[in-house]
Amino acid sequence: MADVTPQDMAGKLLAEGFSRGGPVAQALSDPIVETPMLVTLDELFPYELDPRITRNPLYDEIKASICERGLDAPPSITRRPGADHYIIRNGGNTRLSILRELWSETKDERFFRIPCLFRPWPERGEIVALTGHLAENELHGGLTFIERALGVEKARELYEQESGKPLSQSELARRLSADGYPVQQSHISRMQETVRYLLPVIPTVLYNGLGRHQVERLSVLRKAAEFSWQKCASGGSLSTDFETLFHDVLAPFDAQPETFSIGRVRDELIGQMTDALGADYNALDLEIDSTEHRQRAVSSPPSTPADDASGSVVIKTPTTPKPAPAPAHYGGTAAKSPAPPEAPPAPPPPSPPQEQVADAPSQSDAGARVQDHIVSPAATTERLQAIQQLVADQTGEPLPVFADTVLQAIPVQVGGLFPITDIWFIEPGLDSPARLRIHIAQFAQEIAEEAELTERIEPLDAGIGFTCVAPEQARTSSAFGHRVLALLRALSLHYDVEPQGDVNLGALLLGSDLCDTGTPSRLSDNGLVKFFRLVRLARRLLDLEANPDDADD
């Protein structure tokens, strides 16, 4: 290597610096790991798909806390690839709005420059951000039912874009649970019905806090009314369709959300259906009521105190019930975590209907019956009960009480025009002589149908609602048919034909080895349930006829 002379060394040291050949970066790239960062309000924007649309019910409490203490728990932030601003990652739009408001009012720098935790934008960024906001809002401050429904509907759109195919409700529920926001499939079904059928008609009522239980009642009413509409309108031409009629009925109730009443909606809907179909109001009311009762027995939880006796919806301002004070991590006063509340006492059992008071079991008998249903007692503690109650309050789900539900009847018969879910209990809408006679006559015809003797039962507006008549043409009936007619004649107060032939009612109810070949010897199980229900309704009808003041108008 040649020796470097002092002149060469001096020339190299005095030469111009190396020129930069590559492009000059205008800004630093985002960190690839979680990194604390100081950002300003000008650089931070709210998340555009935040499911919360209405004002946070804890807004004023959070603002007072941040004003006094500053932002103790800044929200986490992120940034989409190629974007020029940061956004809230999961929960924090309310705090950002409060900071902007406080900066505008005070010009205090502590509200303008915010220390945040930056998290890189994940591969499934939009879905992760949306489900994160749903879960965070659900945990702090709560969401109205329609806000949750719209958030889940937006999540469905993102999942379908990701998979490239439509998703079933069960698959949507599975994916939401996997991303940290579990929702039952039945709730998703109700949410989709709300967005499709109710939101275009009553948006004000929904955004003012119409809860899940009231939404379920409206959805059940709509389905039951649509079923009756299709049944009555089959084969006929009408001037309107059900969707238009339902929209026209429901729209006027959106003007005054504070006085929204599902009972009034139901009455108006049945009235307009009666006019359009030319049907009888009472018959249509009974049919819709039976369908509603069946749907609620199968899929809906019990009603809550949020509904009064008339079906009016209790809508509070702000839009959701006020929960406990904001936790300290919002930036509020350093409050200690409250101790779990004492386990709530079990609510008293509902009062039995007036006609059942005499037959109601004593408290000790009811307790004994409850104990008979317990195979092995479940271990529990007051703290566990308190936690269960807190979870129920947050989710809006009623906390089931074993003693209140174990003795309730389950559906025992689902066939026929009037399905039977409880042999003894009589709904208030059914508790009038005219409506009882309609049910009694229908059950008598269905029982006679098992013996192919439906034409022998004639409905009446007197007595218990039906009579047995002689056939137009003489024909020979089986022993089973004779027994069925003898049974119905024994119940009816008005009949024209005396019992003839074999009247062995024991064989009809219990069965017998002595029977006609190829013919049944006893009523089917469904027929026996209908017979029990018929007797119960007839007994109540006679009580009302003897004491008209007991009728429930």
Side-chain angles (χ1 to χ4, degrees), residues 136-219:
E136 184 73 13
N137 281 315
E138 194 70 44
L139 184 62
H140 302 296
L143 295 171
T144 62
F145 181 82
I146 187 59
E147 288 174 332
R148 290 197 299 270
L150 290 173
V152 169
E153 184 67 13
K154 184 62 180 178
R156 180 189 62 79
E157 296 178 5
L158 295 177
Y159 283 128
E160 290 182 350
Q161 292 176 7
E162 180 183 51
S163 62
K165 61 180 182 180
L167 297 183
S168 64
Q169 294 177 359
S170 58
E171 177 65 14
L172 177 57
R174 187 192 66 79
R175 296 199 179 204
L176 286 171
S177 298
D179 285 327
Y181 187 66
V183 184
Q184 297 180 11
Q185 184 271 332
S186 60
H187 291 181
I188 292 178
S189 175
R190 197 68 74 204
M191 289 175 177
Q192 291 181 351
E193 291 175 0
T194 303
V195 173
R196 178 179 177 183
Y197 297 110
L198 301 183
L199 182 58
V201 190
I202 51 171
T204 306
V205 171
L206 289 170
Y207 285 124
N208 272 268
L210 191 68
R212 179 173 64 85
H213 297 291
Q214 289 75 37
V215 168
E216 286 181 348
R217 290 181 61 187
L218 268 179
S219 297

Coordinates of all heavy atoms in Angstrom, one line a residue, residues 136-219:
E136 N -65.4 -2.3 25.2 CA -65.0 -1.3 26.1 C -66.3 -0.4 26.5 O -66.5 -0.1 27.7 CB -63.9 -0.4 25.5 CG -63.4 0.7 26.4 CD -62.5 0.2 27.5 OE1 -62.1 -1.0 27.4 OE2 -62.2 1.0 28.5
N137 N -67.1 -0.1 25.5 CA -68.3 0.7 25.8 C -69.3 -0.1 26.6 O -70.0 0.4 27.4 CB -68.9 1.1 24.5 CG -68.2 2.3 23.8 OD1 -67.9 3.3 24.5 ND2 -68.0 2.2 22.5
E138 N -69.3 -1.4 26.4 CA -70.2 -2.3 27.2 C -69.8 -2.3 28.6 O -70.6 -2.4 29.5 CB -70.2 -3.7 26.6 CG -71.4 -4.5 27.1 CD -72.7 -4.1 26.5 OE1 -72.8 -3.8 25.3 OE2 -73.6 -4.0 27.3
L139 N -68.5 -2.3 28.8 CA -68.0 -2.4 30.2 C -68.1 -1.0 30.9 O -68.4 -1.0 32.2 CB -66.5 -2.8 30.2 CG -65.8 -3.1 31.5 CD1 -66.5 -4.2 32.3 CD2 -64.3 -3.4 31.3
H140 N -67.9 0.1 30.3 CA -67.9 1.4 30.9 C -69.0 2.3 30.3 O -68.9 2.7 29.2 CB -66.6 2.1 30.8 CG -65.4 1.3 31.3 ND1 -65.3 0.9 32.6 CD2 -64.4 0.7 30.7 CE1 -64.2 0.2 32.8 NE2 -63.6 0.1 31.6
G141 N -70.1 2.5 31.0 CA -71.1 3.4 30.6 C -72.2 2.7 29.9 O -73.3 3.2 29.8
G142 N -72.0 1.6 29.3 CA -73.1 0.8 28.6 C -73.5 1.4 27.3 O -73.2 2.6 26.9
L143 N -74.2 0.6 26.5 CA -74.7 1.0 25.2 C -76.2 0.8 25.2 O -76.7 -0.1 25.8 CB -74.0 0.3 24.0 CG -72.5 0.5 23.8 CD1 -72.0 -0.5 22.8 CD2 -72.3 1.9 23.3
T144 N -76.9 1.5 24.4 CA -78.3 1.2 24.2 C -78.4 -0.1 23.3 O -77.5 -0.4 22.6 CB -79.1 2.4 23.5 OG1 -78.5 2.6 22.2 CG2 -79.0 3.6 24.4
F145 N -79.6 -0.7 23.3 CA -79.7 -1.9 22.5 C -79.5 -1.6 21.0 O -78.9 -2.4 20.3 CB -81.1 -2.5 22.7 CG -81.4 -3.8 22.0 CD1 -80.9 -5.0 22.5 CD2 -82.1 -3.8 20.8 CE1 -81.2 -6.1 21.8 CE2 -82.3 -4.9 20.1 CZ -81.8 -6.1 20.6
I146 N -80.0 -0.5 20.5 CA -79.9 -0.3 19.1 C -78.4 0.0 18.7 O -78.0 -0.3 17.6 CB -80.8 0.9 18.7 CG1 -80.8 1.1 17.1 CG2 -80.4 2.2 19.3 CD1 -81.2 -0.1 16.4
E147 N -77.6 0.6 19.7 CA -76.2 0.9 19.4 C -75.5 -0.5 19.3 O -74.6 -0.6 18.5 CB -75.6 1.8 20.5 CG -76.1 3.2 20.4 CD -75.6 4.1 21.5 OE1 -75.4 3.5 22.6 OE2 -75.5 5.3 21.4
R148 N -75.8 -1.4 20.2 CA -75.1 -2.7 20.1 C -75.5 -3.4 18.9 O -74.7 -4.0 18.2 CB -75.5 -3.5 21.4 CG -75.0 -3.1 22.7 CD -75.0 -4.2 23.7 NE -76.4 -4.6 24.0 CZ -77.2 -4.0 24.9 NH1 -76.7 -3.0 25.6 NH2 -78.4 -4.4 25.1
A149 N -76.8 -3.3 18.5 CA -77.3 -3.9 17.3 C -76.6 -3.4 16.0 O -76.2 -4.2 15.2 CB -78.8 -3.7 17.1
L150 N -76.4 -2.1 16.0 CA -75.7 -1.5 14.8 C -74.2 -1.9 14.8 O -73.7 -2.1 13.7 CB -75.9 0.0 14.8 CG -77.3 0.5 14.5 CD1 -77.4 2.0 14.7 CD2 -77.7 0.2 13.1
G151 N -73.6 -1.9 16.0 CA -72.2 -2.3 16.1 C -72.0 -3.8 15.6 O -71.1 -4.1 14.9
V152 N -72.9 -4.7 16.0 CA -72.8 -6.1 15.6 C -73.1 -6.2 14.1 O -72.5 -7.0 13.4 CB -73.8 -6.9 16.4 CG1 -73.9 -8.3 15.8 CG2 -73.4 -7.0 17.9
E153 N -74.0 -5.4 13.6 CA -74.3 -5.4 12.2 C -73.1 -5.0 11.4 O -72.8 -5.5 10.3 CB -75.5 -4.6 11.8 CG -76.0 -4.6 10.4 CD -76.5 -5.9 10.0 OE1 -76.8 -6.8 10.9 OE2 -76.7 -6.1 8.8
K154 N -72.4 -3.9 11.8 CA -71.2 -3.5 11.2 C -70.1 -4.5 11.2 O -69.3 -4.8 10.3 CB -70.7 -2.2 11.8 CG -69.5 -1.6 11.1 CD -69.8 -1.2 9.6 CE -68.6 -0.7 8.9 NZ -68.9 -0.3 7.5
A155 N -70.0 -5.2 12.4 CA -69.0 -6.3 12.5 C -69.3 -7.4 11.5 O -68.4 -8.0 10.9 CB -69.0 -6.8 13.9
R156 N -70.6 -7.7 11.3 CA -71.0 -8.7 10.4 C -70.5 -8.4 9.0 O -69.9 -9.2 8.2 CB -72.5 -8.9 10.3 CG -72.9 -10.0 9.4 CD -74.5 -10.0 9.2 NE -75.0 -8.8 8.7 CZ -74.9 -8.4 7.4 NH1 -74.4 -9.2 6.5 NH2 -75.4 -7.2 7.0
E157 N -70.6 -7.1 8.6 CA -70.2 -6.7 7.3 C -68.6 -6.8 7.1 O -68.1 -7.3 6.1 CB -70.5 -5.2 7.1 CG -72.0 -4.9 7.0 CD -72.4 -3.5 6.8 OE1 -71.4 -2.7 6.7 OE2 -73.6 -3.1 6.9
L158 N -67.9 -6.5 8.2 CA -66.4 -6.6 8.1 C -66.0 -8.1 8.1 O -65.1 -8.5 7.3 CB -65.8 -6.0 9.4 CG -66.0 -4.5 9.5 CD1 -65.4 -3.9 10.8 CD2 -65.3 -3.8 8.3
Y159 N -66.7 -9.0 8.8 CA -66.4 -10.4 8.8 C -66.7 -10.9 7.4 O -65.9 -11.8 6.8 CB -67.2 -11.2 9.8 CG -66.7 -11.0 11.2 CD1 -67.6 -10.6 12.2 CD2 -65.4 -11.3 11.5 CE1 -67.1 -10.5 13.5 CE2 -64.9 -11.2 12.8 CZ -65.8 -10.8 13.8 OH -65.3 -10.6 15.1
E160 N -67.8 -10.5 6.8 CA -68.1 -11.0 5.4 C -67.1 -10.5 4.4 O -66.8 -11.2 3.4 CB -69.5 -10.6 5.1 CG -70.6 -11.4 5.9 CD -72.0 -11.0 5.5 OE1 -72.2 -10.0 4.7 OE2 -73.0 -11.7 5.9
Q161 N -66.6 -9.3 4.6 CA -65.6 -8.8 3.7 C -64.3 -9.6 3.8 O -63.6 -9.9 2.9 CB -65.3 -7.3 3.9 CG -66.4 -6.4 3.5 CD -66.2 -5.0 3.9 OE1 -65.1 -4.6 4.4 NE2 -67.2 -4.1 3.8
E162 N -64.0 -10.0 5.1 CA -62.8 -10.8 5.3 C -62.9 -12.2 4.8 O -61.9 -12.7 4.2 CB -62.6 -10.8 6.9 CG -61.3 -11.6 7.3 CD -61.2 -11.7 8.8 OE1 -62.2 -12.1 9.4 OE2 -60.2 -11.3 9.3
S163 N -64.1 -12.8 4.9 CA -64.2 -14.2 4.5 C -64.7 -14.3 3.0 O -64.5 -15.4 2.4 CB -65.2 -14.9 5.4 OG -66.5 -14.3 5.3
G164 N -65.3 -13.3 2.5 CA -65.8 -13.3 1.1 C -67.1 -14.1 0.9 O -67.4 -14.4 -0.2
K165 N -67.8 -14.3 2.0 CA -69.0 -15.1 1.9 C -70.0 -14.7 3.1 O -69.5 -14.2 4.1 CB -68.8 -16.6 2.0 CG -68.2 -17.0 3.3 CD -67.9 -18.5 3.3 CE -67.3 -19.0 4.6 NZ -67.1 -20.5 4.6
P166 N -71.3 -14.8 2.9 CA -72.2 -14.5 3.9 C -72.0 -15.4 5.2 O -71.6 -16.5 5.0 CB -73.6 -14.7 3.3 CG -73.4 -14.7 1.8 CD -72.0 -15.2 1.6
L167 N -72.3 -14.8 6.3 CA -72.2 -15.6 7.6 C -73.5 -15.8 8.2 O -74.4 -15.0 8.2 CB -71.3 -14.8 8.6 CG -69.9 -14.5 8.2 CD1 -69.2 -13.7 9.4 CD2 -69.1 -15.7 7.9
S168 N -73.7 -17.0 8.7 CA -74.9 -17.4 9.5 C -74.8 -16.7 10.9 O -73.7 -16.2 11.3 CB -75.0 -18.9 9.7 OG -73.9 -19.4 10.4
Q169 N -75.9 -16.6 11.6 CA -75.9 -16.0 12.9 C -75.1 -16.8 13.9 O -74.4 -16.1 14.7 CB -77.4 -15.9 13.4 CG -78.3 -15.0 12.6 CD -79.7 -15.0 13.1 OE1 -80.0 -15.7 14.0 NE2 -80.5 -14.2 12.5
S170 N -75.1 -18.1 13.8 CA -74.2 -18.9 14.7 C -72.7 -18.6 14.4 O -71.9 -18.5 15.4 CB -74.6 -20.3 14.6 OG -74.4 -20.8 13.3
E171 N -72.4 -18.5 13.2 CA -71.0 -18.3 12.8 C -70.6 -16.9 13.2 O -69.4 -16.6 13.7 CB -70.8 -18.5 11.3 CG -69.4 -18.1 10.8 CD -68.3 -19.1 11.4 OE1 -68.7 -20.1 11.9 OE2 -67.1 -18.8 11.3
L172 N -71.5 -15.9 13.1 CA -71.2 -14.5 13.6 C -71.0 -14.5 15.1 O -70.0 -13.9 15.6 CB -72.3 -13.6 13.2 CG -72.2 -12.2 13.6 CD1 -70.9 -11.5 13.1 CD2 -73.4 -11.4 13.2
A173 N -71.8 -15.2 15.8 CA -71.7 -15.3 17.3 C -70.3 -15.9 17.6 O -69.6 -15.5 18.6 CB -72.8 -16.1 17.9
R174 N -69.9 -17.0 16.9 CA -68.6 -17.6 17.2 C -67.4 -16.7 16.9 O -66.5 -16.6 17.8 CB -68.5 -18.9 16.3 CG -67.3 -19.7 16.7 CD -67.0 -20.8 15.6 NE -66.6 -20.2 14.3 CZ -65.4 -19.7 14.1 NH1 -64.4 -19.8 15.0 NH2 -65.1 -19.2 12.9
R175 N -67.5 -15.9 15.8 CA -66.4 -15.0 15.5 C -66.3 -13.8 16.5 O -65.2 -13.4 16.9 CB -66.5 -14.5 14.1 CG -66.4 -15.6 13.0 CD -66.1 -15.0 11.7 NE -66.0 -16.1 10.7 CZ -65.3 -16.0 9.6 NH1 -64.7 -14.8 9.3 NH2 -65.2 -17.0 8.7
L176 N -67.5 -13.3 16.9 CA -67.5 -12.2 17.9 C -66.9 -12.7 19.2 O -66.1 -12.0 19.9 CB -68.9 -11.7 18.1 CG -69.5 -10.9 17.0 CD1 -71.0 -10.6 17.2 CD2 -68.7 -9.5 16.8
S177 N -67.2 -13.9 19.6 CA -66.7 -14.4 20.9 C -65.2 -14.6 20.8 O -64.4 -14.3 21.7 CB -67.3 -15.8 21.2 OG -68.7 -15.6 21.4
A178 N -64.7 -15.1 19.6 CA -63.3 -15.3 19.4 C -62.5 -14.0 19.5 O -61.3 -13.9 19.9 CB -63.0 -16.0 18.1
D179 N -63.2 -12.9 19.1 CA -62.5 -11.5 19.1 C -62.8 -10.7 20.4 O -62.6 -9.5 20.4 CB -63.0 -10.7 17.9 CG -62.3 -11.2 16.6 OD1 -61.1 -11.6 16.7 OD2 -62.9 -11.2 15.5
G180 N -63.4 -11.4 21.4 CA -63.5 -10.8 22.7 C -64.8 -10.1 23.0 O -64.9 -9.3 23.9
Y181 N -65.9 -10.3 22.1 CA -67.2 -9.7 22.4 C -68.2 -10.8 22.2 O -68.9 -10.9 21.2 CB -67.4 -8.5 21.4 CG -68.7 -7.8 21.7 CD1 -68.8 -7.0 22.9 CD2 -69.7 -7.7 20.9 CE1 -69.9 -6.3 23.2 CE2 -70.9 -7.0 21.2 CZ -71.0 -6.3 22.3 OH -72.1 -5.6 22.6
P182 N -68.4 -11.6 23.3 CA -69.4 -12.7 23.1 C -70.8 -12.2 23.1 O -71.2 -11.4 23.9 CB -69.1 -13.5 24.4 CG -68.5 -12.6 25.4 CD -67.8 -11.6 24.6
V183 N -71.6 -12.7 22.2 CA -73.0 -12.4 22.0 C -73.8 -13.7 21.7 O -73.3 -14.4 20.8 CB -73.3 -11.3 20.9 CG1 -74.8 -10.9 20.9 CG2 -72.5 -10.1 21.1
Q184 N -74.9 -13.9 22.3 CA -75.7 -15.1 22.0 C -76.3 -15.0 20.7 O -76.7 -13.9 20.2 CB -76.7 -15.3 23.1 CG -76.2 -15.6 24.5 CD -77.3 -15.8 25.5 OE1 -78.5 -16.0 25.1 NE2 -77.0 -15.8 26.8
Q185 N -76.5 -16.2 20.0 CA -77.1 -16.2 18.7 C -78.5 -15.7 18.7 O -78.9 -15.0 17.8 CB -77.0 -17.6 18.2 CG -77.5 -17.8 16.7 CD -79.0 -18.0 16.7 OE1 -79.6 -18.6 17.6 NE2 -79.7 -17.6 15.6
S186 N -79.3 -16.0 19.8 CA -80.6 -15.5 19.9 C -80.7 -14.0 20.0 O -81.6 -13.3 19.4 CB -81.3 -16.1 21.1 OG -80.6 -15.8 22.3
H187 N -79.7 -13.3 20.6 CA -79.6 -11.9 20.7 C -79.3 -11.3 19.3 O -79.8 -10.2 18.9 CB -78.6 -11.5 21.7 CG -79.0 -11.8 23.1 ND1 -78.2 -11.4 24.2 CD2 -80.1 -12.4 23.6 CE1 -78.8 -11.8 25.3 NE2 -80.0 -12.4 25.0
I188 N -78.4 -12.0 18.6 CA -78.0 -11.5 17.3 C -79.3 -11.5 16.4 O -79.5 -10.6 15.6 CB -76.9 -12.4 16.7 CG1 -75.6 -12.1 17.4 CG2 -76.7 -12.1 15.2 CD1 -74.5 -13.0 17.0
S189 N -80.1 -12.6 16.5 CA -81.3 -12.6 15.7 C -82.2 -11.5 16.0 O -82.8 -10.8 15.1 CB -82.0 -14.0 16.0 OG -83.3 -14.0 15.3
R190 N -82.4 -11.2 17.3 CA -83.3 -10.0 17.7 C -82.7 -8.7 17.2 O -83.4 -7.8 16.8 CB -83.4 -10.1 19.2 CG -84.6 -9.2 19.6 CD -85.9 -9.8 19.2 NE -86.3 -11.0 19.9 CZ -87.1 -12.0 19.5 NH1 -87.6 -11.9 18.3 NH2 -87.4 -13.0 20.2
M191 N -81.3 -8.6 17.2 CA -80.7 -7.3 16.8 C -80.9 -7.1 15.3 O -81.2 -6.0 14.9 CB -79.2 -7.4 17.1 CG -78.8 -7.3 18.5 SD -77.0 -7.5 18.8 CE -76.9 -7.3 20.6
Q192 N -80.8 -8.2 14.5 CA -81.0 -8.0 13.1 C -82.4 -7.7 12.7 O -82.7 -6.9 11.8 CB -80.6 -9.3 12.4 CG -79.1 -9.6 12.4 CD -78.7 -10.8 11.7 OE1 -79.5 -11.6 11.3 NE2 -77.3 -11.0 11.5
E193 N -83.4 -8.3 13.5 CA -84.8 -7.9 13.3 C -85.0 -6.4 13.6 O -85.8 -5.8 13.0 CB -85.7 -8.8 14.1 CG -85.7 -10.3 13.7 CD -86.5 -11.1 14.6 OE1 -87.0 -10.6 15.6 OE2 -86.6 -12.4 14.4
T194 N -84.4 -6.0 14.7 CA -84.6 -4.6 15.1 C -84.1 -3.6 14.0 O -84.7 -2.6 13.7 CB -83.9 -4.3 16.4 OG1 -84.3 -5.3 17.4 CG2 -84.1 -2.9 16.9
V195 N -82.9 -3.9 13.5 CA -82.3 -3.0 12.5 C -83.1 -3.0 11.2 O -83.3 -2.0 10.6 CB -80.8 -3.4 12.2 CG1 -80.3 -2.7 11.0 CG2 -80.0 -3.2 13.4
R196 N -83.7 -4.2 10.9 CA -84.4 -4.3 9.6 C -85.8 -3.8 9.7 O -86.3 -3.0 8.8 CB -84.5 -5.8 9.2 CG -85.3 -6.0 7.9 CD -85.3 -7.5 7.6 NE -86.1 -7.7 6.4 CZ -86.3 -8.9 5.9 NH1 -85.8 -10.0 6.4 NH2 -87.1 -9.1 4.8
Y197 N -86.5 -4.1 10.8 CA -88.0 -3.8 10.9 C -88.3 -2.6 11.7 O -89.3 -1.8 11.4 CB -88.8 -5.0 11.4 CG -88.7 -6.2 10.5 CD1 -88.0 -7.3 10.9 CD2 -89.3 -6.2 9.2 CE1 -87.9 -8.4 10.1 CE2 -89.2 -7.3 8.4 CZ -88.5 -8.4 8.8 OH -88.4 -9.5 8.0
L198 N -87.6 -2.3 12.8 CA -88.0 -1.3 13.8 C -87.2 0.0 13.6 O -87.8 1.1 13.8 CB -87.8 -1.8 15.2 CG -88.5 -3.1 15.6 CD1 -88.3 -3.5 17.1 CD2 -90.0 -3.0 15.3
L199 N -85.9 -0.1 13.3 CA -85.1 1.2 13.2 C -85.6 2.1 12.2 O -85.7 3.3 12.4 CB -83.7 0.8 13.0 CG -82.7 2.0 12.9 CD1 -82.7 2.8 14.2 CD2 -81.3 1.6 12.6
P200 N -86.1 1.7 11.0 CA -86.6 2.6 10.0 C -87.9 3.3 10.4 O -88.2 4.4 9.9 CB -86.8 1.8 8.8 CG -86.0 0.6 8.9 CD -86.0 0.3 10.4
V201 N -88.6 2.7 11.4 CA -89.9 3.3 11.8 C -89.9 4.1 13.1 O -90.5 5.1 13.2 CB -90.9 2.1 12.0 CG1 -92.3 2.6 12.1 CG2 -90.8 1.1 10.8
I202 N -89.2 3.6 14.1 CA -89.2 4.3 15.4 C -87.7 4.5 15.9 O -87.3 4.1 16.9 CB -89.9 3.5 16.5 CG1 -89.4 2.0 16.5 CG2 -91.4 3.5 16.2 CD1 -90.0 1.2 17.7
P203 N -86.9 5.3 15.1 CA -85.5 5.5 15.5 C -85.4 6.3 16.8 O -84.6 6.1 17.6 CB -84.9 6.3 14.3 CG -86.1 6.9 13.6 CD -87.2 6.0 13.8
T204 N -86.3 7.3 17.0 CA -86.3 8.1 18.2 C -86.5 7.3 19.5 O -85.8 7.5 20.5 CB -87.3 9.3 18.1 OG1 -87.1 10.0 16.9 CG2 -87.2 10.2 19.3
V205 N -87.5 6.5 19.4 CA -87.8 5.6 20.6 C -86.6 4.7 20.9 O -86.2 4.5 22.0 CB -89.0 4.8 20.3 CG1 -89.2 3.7 21.4 CG2 -90.3 5.7 20.2
L206 N -86.0 4.1 19.8 CA -84.8 3.2 20.0 C -83.6 3.9 20.6 O -83.0 3.5 21.6 CB -84.5 2.5 18.7 CG -85.5 1.5 18.2 CD1 -85.1 1.1 16.8 CD2 -85.5 0.3 19.1
Y207 N -83.3 5.1 20.1 CA -82.2 5.9 20.6 C -82.4 6.5 21.9 O -81.4 6.9 22.6 CB -81.7 6.9 19.6 CG -81.1 6.4 18.3 CD1 -81.5 6.7 17.1 CD2 -79.9 5.6 18.5 CE1 -80.9 6.1 15.9 CE2 -79.3 5.1 17.3 CZ -79.8 5.4 16.1 OH -79.2 4.9 15.0
N208 N -83.6 6.6 22.4 CA -83.9 7.1 23.7 C -83.9 6.0 24.7 O -84.3 6.2 25.9 CB -85.3 7.8 23.7 CG -85.2 9.2 23.4 OD1 -85.0 10.1 24.2 ND2 -85.2 9.5 22.1
G209 N -83.5 4.8 24.3 CA -83.3 3.7 25.3 C -84.2 2.6 25.4 O -84.3 1.9 26.4
L210 N -84.9 2.3 24.3 CA -85.8 1.1 24.3 C -85.0 -0.1 24.5 O -84.1 -0.4 23.7 CB -86.6 1.0 23.0 CG -87.7 0.0 22.9 CD1 -88.9 0.5 23.9 CD2 -88.3 -0.1 21.5
G211 N -85.3 -0.9 25.6 CA -84.4 -2.0 26.0 C -84.7 -3.3 25.2 O -85.6 -3.4 24.5
R212 N -83.9 -4.3 25.5 CA -84.0 -5.5 24.8 C -85.3 -6.2 25.0 O -85.9 -6.8 24.1 CB -82.8 -6.5 25.2 CG -82.8 -7.8 24.5 CD -81.6 -8.6 24.8 NE -81.5 -8.9 26.2 CZ -82.1 -10.0 26.8 NH1 -82.9 -10.8 26.1 NH2 -82.0 -10.2 28.1
H213 N -85.8 -6.2 26.3 CA -87.0 -6.9 26.6 C -88.2 -6.2 25.9 O -89.1 -6.9 25.4 CB -87.3 -6.9 28.1 CG -86.2 -7.6 28.9 ND1 -86.1 -9.0 28.8 CD2 -85.2 -7.2 29.7 CE1 -85.1 -9.3 29.6 NE2 -84.5 -8.3 30.1
Q214 N -88.2 -4.9 25.8 CA -89.3 -4.2 25.0 C -89.2 -4.5 23.5 O -90.2 -4.7 22.8 CB -89.3 -2.7 25.3 CG -89.7 -2.3 26.7 CD -88.7 -2.6 27.7 OE1 -87.5 -2.5 27.5 NE2 -89.1 -3.0 28.9
V215 N -87.9 -4.5 23.0 CA -87.7 -4.8 21.6 C -88.2 -6.3 21.3 O -88.9 -6.5 20.3 CB -86.3 -4.7 21.2 CG1 -86.0 -5.3 19.9 CG2 -85.9 -3.2 21.3
E216 N -88.0 -7.2 22.2 CA -88.4 -8.6 22.0 C -90.0 -8.6 22.0 O -90.5 -9.4 21.2 CB -87.9 -9.5 23.1 CG -86.4 -9.8 23.0 CD -85.9 -10.7 24.1 OE1 -86.7 -10.9 25.1 OE2 -84.8 -11.2 24.0
R217 N -90.6 -7.9 22.8 CA -92.1 -7.9 22.8 C -92.6 -7.3 21.5 O -93.6 -7.9 20.9 CB -92.6 -7.0 24.0 CG -92.4 -7.6 25.4 CD -92.9 -6.8 26.5 NE -94.4 -6.6 26.3 CZ -95.1 -5.8 27.1 NH1 -94.5 -5.0 28.0 NH2 -96.4 -5.7 26.9
L218 N -92.0 -6.3 21.0 CA -92.4 -5.7 19.7 C -92.2 -6.8 18.6 O -93.0 -6.9 17.7 CB -91.7 -4.4 19.4 CG -92.3 -3.1 19.8 CD1 -91.4 -1.9 19.5 CD2 -93.7 -3.0 19.2
S219 N -91.0 -7.4 18.6 CA -90.7 -8.4 17.6 C -91.7 -9.6 17.6 O -92.1 -10.1 16.6 CB -89.3 -8.9 17.7 OG -88.4 -7.8 17.5

